[in-house]
Amino acid sequence: MKSLICTTLLVETSPQGLPLGAACIASALKADARTKNAVSVSLIDFSLEDDEIISAKKSGGDDAIAQFLANQLASKKPDFIAFSVYVWNRLILEKTCTTLKKMLPNSICIAGGPEVTADPLSFHNFDFMISGQGERAMVELVDSLAKGKKIDIQGVYTASAQSGAQTNEIARACPLPPDMTASPYLDGTLDPSKYGGALWELARGCPFKCSYCYESKGEKKIAYFPMERLEKEIELFARKKIAQVFVLDPTYNASKERALKMLKTIEKKAPGMFFYFEARAEFIDRELAYAFSQVPCCLQIGLQSANPEVLKNVHRTLDKKKFIKNIGFLNEAGVTFGFDLIYGLPGDTFAGFCESIDFALSLYPNNLELFCLSVLPGTDLHDDAAGFGLNWEKIPPYHVLKTPTFNEADLARAKKLAEATNLFYTKGRAVAWFNSVLHVLKETPSVFLKKFSDREAVRKFLNSHDNFSAEHTSDKKIEELQLEFVKERFTEKHMDKYFAATEDLIKMHSALGRCTFDGTESKFSTHYHPDDIMSEYGTDIVFFTEHCGKQKCTVQVFVGKNGVDWRTM
């Protein structure tokens, strides 16, 4: 019997980094009658967080990592190796394949995944490349190779055929309908407990055409996995007692009816399990917001820019009034949510990016994820880039280098601002008090955060080697940076009398956040009683300072019988 390894290199060992694509290929080979008794299939994944890979990185960079991966794979003496290739691992996996072929010259290396789907003819190290969803094509390819048949499969490309290929249109593999695909969770290929959670597919395809996304040339119709399968998977997650599930659908709420039905199923079968959804704000209403509020979850919403004209360039729309109204439903229902923003979009400017930050943070998101635009091969934006005058990296991660309206210096400023925003607002869990502080200072978020990014202590922290390696330690350091900066801003504006209440507000929410996130208990002093600080008046800093009497306290934040709590000592 021939042996086949499905493999990939993950950014991290986590639910988000879970090797779902490679596992789906492995499950397809195990399930199909043509291959299940002819090929022995195994899944071997590696992570940049593995001790051996960290050590290899330190000793010899990407070349050493590739050598380590090749040694590990070669030791299994596989006949076939299927690589799942992404932006973050392409260069290393190409080197791994080259090294592996020298060690096992008769092995057959096959590549698939988003990077290959985008441009299979740009790969020269692998024997075969599969563009598109690979379950069906992989089975046909392995079956043909095992039987010595001629390879003529839609979506499958060979290295030898590249020299004569002249085409702008890449034919993708014919996908299997979701109801015919095997579940890597239900067949035991993937154990979600190994990764601390699951990456969960409820559907494939996206009805939108955002030009910067791989989905821009993917299936425009949504194909849903059967509810029977999904219910069995969530029952398995519950039995495994995993803590969190990341739902992979690009637009979870594209169908309101199905979204509501799925939330009911989650509420019934997985109470207490935390879910992450990607959603479109324009499809949120009060009923859906309420349904989300009944499940422990967080929504990530792709705002990308607050400028409708900029969004038109990448085939997106924004009705600001509707967006604000629908996000209001989430705030009203107490649903946790975050936004994504991209800097460097065609037609955008640094000033426009700052305005997008101001708009986003005015709506109280729990987090704000800021990304540099990547001009990904295989996307509509890649095809349109020259017309927009974009200049970008031609190797991963394909970041934009300059545009006619966003030069190199502005992109550097945007990167610096993005890092500061991530540190102060998202990592610093500042949502509960951020806008209250800015209201006192009468500053916009972007002005405030630009000043924060200029502090030497902040730059040193961001440039340190392990600034987020120990999460709870970093949290405390971030709180110190926040308090130092806010105090400095209050002093500059001659508002020192308001700092005591502000300091207590930040300390209380930081301590509660740490305790909620990882159970870290803490003890600290405050100028006011914690019950007053955490009252409905606590975030109105001016009113609170002028009407509440000081009462020095030692506060302990701890995990009580009913969750996180505090008491005075």
Side-chain angles (χ1 to χ4, degrees):
M1 180 180 287
K2 299 284 186 179
S3 64
L4 184 148
I5 294 175
C6 291
T7 190
T8 192
L9 176 63
L10 310 171
V11 173
E12 59 186 8
T13 302
S14 72
Q16 288 173 290
L18 180 149
L20 183 60
C24 286
I25 296 300
S27 293
L29 291 163
K30 292 177 185 178
D32 196 283
R34 291 167 291 181
T35 51
K36 67 179 181 180
N37 296 319
V39 182
S40 173
V41 181
S42 58
L43 172 67
I44 301 178
D45 59 277
F46 304 92
S47 168
L48 290 173
E49 291 184 338
D50 294 343
D51 291 341
E52 299 91 340
I53 291 181
I54 291 173
S55 178
K57 178 75 172 179
K58 290 179 179 178
S59 65
D62 289 355
D63 289 342
I65 296 176
Q67 184 66 61
F68 172 78
L69 298 182
N71 290 342
Q72 294 297 304
L73 295 170
S75 68
K76 308 294 182 182
K77 295 182 170 55
D79 297 291
F80 306 97
I81 309 96
F83 294 84
S84 191
V85 186
Y86 298 84
V87 168
W88 62 84
N89 66 23
R90 172 174 180 166
L91 300 180
I92 292 176
L93 292 187
E94 285 182 310
K95 291 178 180 179
T96 300
C97 179
T98 299
T99 304
L100 187 60
K101 293 290 284 184
K102 293 176 182 176
M103 302 168 74
L104 298 176
N106 294 323
S107 65
I108 296 174
C109 292
I110 305 162
E115 279 286 288
V116 181
T117 294
D119 189 3
L121 301 180
S122 69
F123 287 80
H124 308 282
N125 310 66
F126 302 92
D127 298 296
F128 296 93
M129 290 74 65
I130 298 177
S131 176
Q133 296 177 29
E135 287 98 339
R136 174 177 285 172
M138 188 66 174
V139 167
E140 293 177 356
L141 175 60
V142 171
D143 180 54
S144 296
L145 289 170
K147 295 177 180 177
K149 295 180 181 178
K150 180 182 177 181
I151 307 301
D152 184 16
I153 304 166
Q154 180 177 316
V156 175
Y157 298 83
T158 64
S160 59
Q162 292 178 49
S163 59
Q166 297 291 329
T167 179
N168 292 322
E169 290 297 324
I170 299 298
R172 296 189 177 187
C174 184
L176 275 179
D179 60 358
M180 293 178 63
T181 61
S183 167
Y185 292 113
L186 298 180
D187 70 8
T189 299
L190 272 179
D191 180 359
S193 59
K194 173 185 174 182
Y195 305 91
L199 190 61
W200 197 25
E201 270 191 304
L202 307 184
R204 289 184 180 176
C206 181
F208 301 100
K209 198 176 172 64
C210 307
S211 64
Y212 49 78
C213 178
Y214 280 126
E215 295 285 350
S216 64
K217 289 191 174 183
E219 295 292 324
K220 294 299 175 287
K221 293 182 179 179
I222 300 178
Y224 292 101
F225 286 92
M227 287 298 296
E228 181 183 1
R229 163 177 162 162
L230 298 178
E231 288 182 6
K232 288 180 180 178
E233 287 178 332
I234 200 168
E235 288 166 359
L236 181 144
F237 298 159
R239 288 197 303 273
K240 292 281 186 178
K241 294 181 168 50
I242 60 174
Q244 53 188 334
V245 176
F246 289 81
V247 177
L248 193 58
D249 303 21
T251 309
Y252 170 74
N253 59 333
S255 166
K256 177 184 173 180
E257 180 183 358
R258 189 175 174 92
L260 289 170
K261 184 177 181 180
M262 199 69 243
L263 288 170
K264 285 289 185 184
T265 301
I266 290 170
E267 185 181 357
K268 177 182 177 181
K269 294 182 178 291
M273 197 177 296
F274 200 92
F275 286 77
Y276 295 85
F277 300 99
E278 293 186 30
R280 296 280 291 216
E282 57 263 48
F283 298 148
I284 292 170
D285 59 15
R286 185 171 274 110
E287 182 184 13
L288 194 54
Y290 174 77
F292 279 122
S293 74
Q294 300 306 295
V295 173
C297 71
C298 177
L299 310 187
Q300 198 65 22
I301 295 168
L303 173 58
Q304 317 309 2
S305 172
N307 186 331
E309 294 304 311
V310 168
L311 291 176
K312 283 181 184 178
N313 292 331
V314 289
H315 304 155
R316 286 183 69 94
T317 59
L318 175 66
D319 181 333
K320 278 191 174 182
K321 288 184 178 180
K322 186 175 183 180
F323 190 93
I324 293 169
K325 177 183 177 183
N326 292 358
I327 296 302
F329 292 140
L330 296 179
N331 279 319
E332 180 183 280
V335 179
T336 301
F337 64 91
F339 295 140
D340 295 335
L341 289 177
I342 299 175
Y343 59 89
L345 289 168
D348 204 1
T349 62
F350 179 72
F353 176 58
C354 291
E355 290 172 5
S356 293
I357 290 176
D358 294 340
F359 175 75
L361 292 182
S362 73
L363 300 176
Y364 297 86
N366 184 67
N367 64 81
L368 186 60
E369 304 295 333
L370 304 159
F371 306 96
C372 179
L373 176 65
S374 288
V375 184
L376 300 171
T379 63
D380 284 339
L381 181 61
H382 189 273
D383 295 344
D384 300 338
F388 285 122
L390 304 185
N391 188 322
W392 72 97
E393 298 170 330
K394 299 307 186 288
I395 60 173
Y398 310 111
H399 283 158
V400 67
L401 298 172
K402 65 178 180 179
T403 80
T405 57
F406 223 128
N407 61 33
E408 296 99 321
D410 284 343
L411 284 168
R413 291 167 67 200
K415 181 176 185 291
K416 183 179 175 183
L417 178 56
E419 291 172 344
T421 302
N422 181 51
L423 176 61
F424 191 100
Y425 189 88
T426 300
K427 292 283 186 181
R429 302 191 183 99
V431 59
W433 49 265
F434 183 77
N435 285 323
S436 296
V437 170
L438 266 62
H439 180 73
V440 177
L441 293 171
K442 294 181 172 55
E443 284 186 343
T444 63
S446 60
V447 168
F448 177 86
L449 291 165
K450 275 187 281 188
K451 291 180 183 295
F452 178 71
S453 72
D454 289 334
R455 300 192 90 234
E456 184 179 355
V458 172
R459 300 318 304 167
K460 284 183 178 179
F461 183 77
L462 288 170
N463 292 331
S464 63
H465 177 70
D466 59 346
N467 49 8
F468 294 130
S469 60
E471 194 68 43
H472 62 279
T473 303
S474 294
D475 285 350
K476 189 62 181 173
K477 178 59 180 177
I478 293 169
E479 181 190 336
E480 292 173 9
L481 291 171
Q482 289 170 329
L483 286 170
E484 289 170 3
F485 178 64
V486 172
K487 184 175 183 179
E488 177 185 284
R489 298 299 302 128
F490 275 55
T491 299
E492 287 181 7
K493 297 241 178 173
H494 307 292
M495 294 178 172
D496 300 83
K497 67 178 181 179
Y498 300 122
F499 181 69
T502 303
E503 181 180 23
D504 288 357
L505 191 64
I506 294 174
K507 280 185 174 181
M508 282 297 299
H509 281 287
S510 295
L512 291 168
R514 286 193 297 273
C515 198
T516 301
F517 183 75
D518 59 16
T520 301
E521 299 188 354
S522 57
K523 187 190 298 182
F524 52 92
S525 61
T526 61
H527 305 88
Y528 296 87
H529 195 283
D531 291 349
D532 293 332
I533 298 164
M534 299 304 292
S535 72
E536 59 183 306
Y537 305 107
T539 54
D540 188 342
I541 295 170
V542 173
F543 180 88
F544 183 86
T545 299
E546 293 175 352
H547 292 88
C548 187
K550 286 186 176 181
Q551 183 181 347
K552 286 191 175 183
C553 297
T554 297
V555 182
Q556 182 182 23
V557 171
F558 61 96
V559 180
K561 291 182 180 180
N562 298 315
V564 176
D565 202 352
W566 67 80
R567 60 175 166 240
T568 57
M569 303 180 69

